[in-house]
Amino acid sequence: MQHNRRRFLRSSGGLSLLPLMAAAGLLPAAATAEEWNRAAFASRNMDDFLKLMGGNAPQQSDQVTLNGPEIAENGAVVSLEISSNLPNTESIFILIEKNPDVLAGTFTIPSGTLPDIQTHVKMAQTCNVYALVKSKGMFYYSAKEIKVTVGGCGG
């Protein structure tokens, strides 16, 4: 009897949490975040993405550093390093000009965290890659053209 009671409590614990989460407004927020991600990652160019983010024309800045290869032998795996020396960096976005979907990555930078990212992206073809940084509500960027010999994206 004790064993069945434990199993029931363990399996029903998650179900009782769902109404509490909905009442606290946690579930609609998750749905909103999912909708934002879908819209952001479906952006076709930087202007569309910035409009979605509520921003206007970003400023080029030497405080944003974007390092990547001059030539990517395989567009399926392109290494990038991005860092920001801007005060209060909030977010870093990677935009790839000629990919089917321009947004390749988004990173939220918690306060007190070093805004330094190392990652890999896919690139469909030779084009500009942008490191877009949000700091104090404004957008700044650095760009680099990367030549791709074999594309890594369908489109």
Side-chain angles (χ1 to χ4, degrees):
M1 180 73 143
Q2 189 72 2
H3 181 63
N4 288 338
R5 180 174 172 254
R6 284 187 190 147
R7 188 177 329 146
F8 173 76
L9 290 172
R10 187 173 40 230
S11 66
S12 66
L15 295 176
S16 63
L17 188 58
L18 286 176
L20 290 173
M21 290 173 63
L26 295 177
L27 293 180
T32 302
E34 183 179 321
E35 290 170 12
W36 178 89
N37 281 335
R38 190 176 304 121
F41 281 99
S43 298
R44 298 294 177 206
N45 56 52
M46 189 185 301
D47 290 338
D48 289 349
F49 178 73
L50 285 168
K51 208 176 296 181
L52 179 69
M53 297 299 298
N56 45 13
Q59 300 174 27
Q60 190 165 8
S61 174
D62 60 357
Q63 299 293 304
V64 177
T65 304
L66 169 61
N67 290 316
E70 297 293 323
I71 298 173
E73 296 296 326
N74 182 352
V77 184
V78 180
S79 297
L80 298 177
E81 295 179 13
I82 301 167
S83 62
S84 169
N85 290 324
L86 293 164
N88 303 317
T89 295
E90 302 166 28
S91 305
I92 297 176
F93 306 96
I94 300 170
L95 300 146
I96 303 176
E97 185 176 56
K98 292 187 180 176
N99 271 7
D101 301 320
V102 71
L103 181 61
T106 177
F107 304 87
T108 301
I109 310 299
S111 180
T113 304
L114 181 65
D116 189 2
I117 295 168
Q118 296 178 6
T119 191
H120 296 91
V121 296
K122 289 184 176 185
M123 293 183 63
Q125 58 185 302
T126 298
C127 66
N128 287 321
V129 174
Y130 296 90
L132 184 66
V133 173
K134 184 176 182 183
S135 171
K136 297 183 180 180
M138 301 290 291
F139 289 94
Y140 304 89
Y141 76 95
S142 179
K144 177 180 178 94
E145 183 184 58
I146 298 178
K147 293 176 177 57
V148 176
T149 57
V150 176
C153 298

